[in-house]
Amino acid sequence: FPVIAGTGGFFTRTNGLETVLSGFKQLLLTNPGERVMNPKFGMGLRKYIFEPATPQLEEKIKKGIIEAITHYAPDVLLKNLVVSVGESQYTTDGNSILISLKVAFKDDLLHDRELDIII
C-alpha cells in the first residue's frame, strides 16, 4: 500500500516517505466519517473550496493540516507548509486551494520530500 503504476508493473509498492506522502494526500482529502472503522480519520479539505478566500481560511487550513500530521504521523517532521486559497493558474473558475508541503522523517532530516495538492 499504496498501489501505484511503476517500473515493477502496476502493483509496484512504495515505501518510506513516498508512502507517507500518499497517506497525507488521503488524510487531507478524506472527509471525517468517510472511513467506516475509523470515523475520525480525515481532514475534509474539499469542504473549504467554496469558502471565501481569506487569510483566516488559509490559517484554519494550515492548523488542520498540522494537527492531522501531528496526530497520524508523529515520526514525520513538517519542514515547510504553504497554503494558498483563491485564484490559481490551475483552475478556470478561480476557486482553488493549493497545499505545498515538505516533510522528512525525524530520524533522517537530510532526506525530505515535497507534495503539492491542488483542489
Side-chain angles (χ1 to χ4, degrees), residues 46-62:
R46 288 184 184 100
K47 71 183 171 194
Y48 298 113
I49 194 68
F50 294 109
E51 295 284 326
T54 64
Q56 292 82 9
L57 179 62
E58 289 180 1
E59 287 303 314
K60 185 176 184 179
I61 293 171
K62 279 184 185 179

Side-chain angles (χ1 to χ4, degrees), residues 7-113:
T7 57
F10 185 73
F11 293 103
T12 301
R13 291 178 165 254
T14 61
N15 58 25
L17 281 176
E18 194 69 35
T19 302
V20 170
L21 290 177
S22 178
F24 284 169
K25 193 170 186 179
Q26 291 177 22
L27 174 64
L28 299 179
L29 295 176
T30 300
N31 293 319
E34 196 172 327
R35 295 257 175 118
V36 176
M37 299 301 288
N38 193 356
K40 293 183 180 180
F41 181 84
M43 185 190 160
L45 191 58
R46 288 184 184 100
K47 71 183 171 194
Y48 298 113
I49 194 68
F50 294 109
E51 295 284 326
T54 64
Q56 292 82 9
L57 179 62
E58 289 180 1
E59 287 303 314
K60 185 176 184 179
I61 293 171
K62 279 184 185 179
K63 182 181 177 199
I65 291 171
I66 291 168
E67 288 175 0
I69 289 174
T70 301
H71 179 75
Y72 287 101
D75 57 337
V76 173
L77 175 69
L78 183 60
K79 294 177 90 174
N80 191 28
L81 173 61
V82 176
V83 176
S84 179
V85 178
E87 300 227 2
S88 169
Q89 64 184 5
Y90 304 107
T91 61
T92 57
D93 61 1
N95 293 334
S96 70
I97 299 173
L98 170 64
I99 309 290
S100 181
L101 49 89
K102 183 187 282 189
V103 297
F105 284 119
K106 289 182 179 177
D107 61 354
D108 183 13
L109 298 177
L110 295 177
H111 296 95
D112 52 30
R113 293 292 310 267

